[in-house]
Amino acid sequence: MEGSKQVPSSIKNRALVEKRRQEMIRGAVSLFRDKGFHKTTTREIAKASGFSIGTLYEYIRTKEDVLFLVCDSIYEQVNERMKEVVDTSVPDGAPLEEAVRSYFRLMDDLQEEVIVLYQEVKALPKEAKDYILEKEQEMVAMLEELLACSLPEASRGKISVIANNVFVEGQMWGFRRWILQRSFTLEEYIDHQVSLLLEGVATYR
């Protein structure tokens, strides 16, 4: 994965490495959510992933590597969704709205991973914190690029604030799900957020 943390593996088959690491991410996320990162053992991750502890260490070196993989998985999926719906060379509202809707739906799909990532980041070593912050900034930058094309008259500061708002509002669907998901369906929540965004965008056009 371009731009991703290079987690060494003794396995040379890249397709198998990707398959096993996706299984590892799914198994680890539920454990990190229920027990916390530090109380979860690599043996438990191996069991939840469906393979032995020996096999686990063919694909990672440390437990921190699993959190790096979770972070990269989120980033790559956001990147892929943005590329699917966005043509930033066309300054039109439709790509902006569709990209934001797609991002919000992805945050619904990845809410467990996002919650675990932010829940555990405070306890990570500095290198891990810096890496996760870097990937977060890259995701916000995707939104900034899209907004800059839709709002050519807006200042860089305003673009940055709007992009960060969209970024956090997508994640808020998971962070505050015990309240929001009682009051709205996903599509209702997205409609309200997109309406507010486009009303704000219209003031700059």
Side-chain angles (χ1 to χ4, degrees):
M1 292 184 294
E2 184 179 354
S4 65
K5 179 75 175 176
Q6 297 303 306
V7 176
S9 170
S10 62
I11 304 300
K12 304 304 180 187
N13 184 325
R14 297 306 303 166
L16 181 59
V17 169
E18 182 63 24
K19 178 176 182 292
R20 291 289 188 234
R21 285 180 170 174
Q22 287 304 314
E23 293 168 347
M24 201 180 303
I25 288 168
R26 287 193 293 271
V29 162
S30 61
L31 288 167
F32 292 162
R33 180 196 62 212
D34 295 339
K35 298 185 63 175
F37 176 76
H38 287 291
K39 290 183 179 178
T40 298
T41 67
T42 50
R43 191 171 297 278
E44 287 172 326
I45 294 173
K47 183 178 180 181
S49 305
F51 36 81
S52 69
I53 188 69
T55 300
L56 182 81
Y57 281 115
E58 291 178 343
Y59 296 94
I60 61 165
R61 301 164 304 169
T62 68
K63 192 167 59 172
E64 283 79 6
D65 283 347
V66 181
L67 214 52
F68 284 136
L69 294 175
V70 172
C71 179
D72 280 334
S73 177
I74 294 169
Y75 169 77
E76 289 299 326
Q77 290 182 71
V78 170
N79 190 30
E80 287 170 11
R81 287 284 182 100
M82 293 298 99
K83 286 182 177 178
E84 284 174 7
V85 298
V86 177
D87 178 0
T88 54
S89 67
V90 181
D92 183 85
L96 172 62
E97 178 176 347
E98 186 53 39
V100 171
R101 288 183 179 277
S102 185
Y103 168 71
F104 274 51
R105 291 182 188 118
L106 180 61
M107 289 299 99
D108 176 61
D109 293 342
L110 298 178
Q111 56 187 286
E112 296 297 338
E113 289 91 332
V114 171
I115 288 170
V116 163
L117 193 63
Y118 285 101
Q119 175 180 291
E120 299 302 333
V121 70
K122 62 184 179 296
L124 292 178
K126 185 178 184 301
E127 178 194 6
K129 287 180 183 177
D130 289 347
Y131 179 73
I132 290 170
L133 177 60
E134 177 188 342
K135 303 311 285 188
E136 181 181 277
Q137 289 172 329
E138 289 177 14
M139 286 186 275
V140 172
M142 294 179 204
L143 294 168
E144 288 177 340
E145 183 177 3
L146 174 63
L147 284 160
C149 289
S150 296
L151 301 172
E153 302 303 318
S155 68
R156 184 175 178 179
K158 286 187 173 69
I159 292 291
S160 178
V161 169
I162 297 170
N164 277 280
N165 282 345
V166 172
F167 186 75
V168 171
E169 285 158 2
Q171 295 174 346
M172 186 168 70
W173 176 248
F175 290 151
R176 294 186 55 78
R177 58 188 174 185
W178 61 90
I179 296 293
L180 291 172
Q181 295 182 24
R182 291 177 184 176
S183 304
F184 307 100
T185 66
L186 174 62
E187 291 306 314
E188 286 171 344
Y189 177 75
I190 293 173
D191 285 344
H192 287 312
Q193 292 287 7
V194 168
S195 176
L196 288 170
L197 172 65
L198 294 181
E199 285 173 13
V201 165
T203 66
Y204 291 110
R205 286 184 168 153

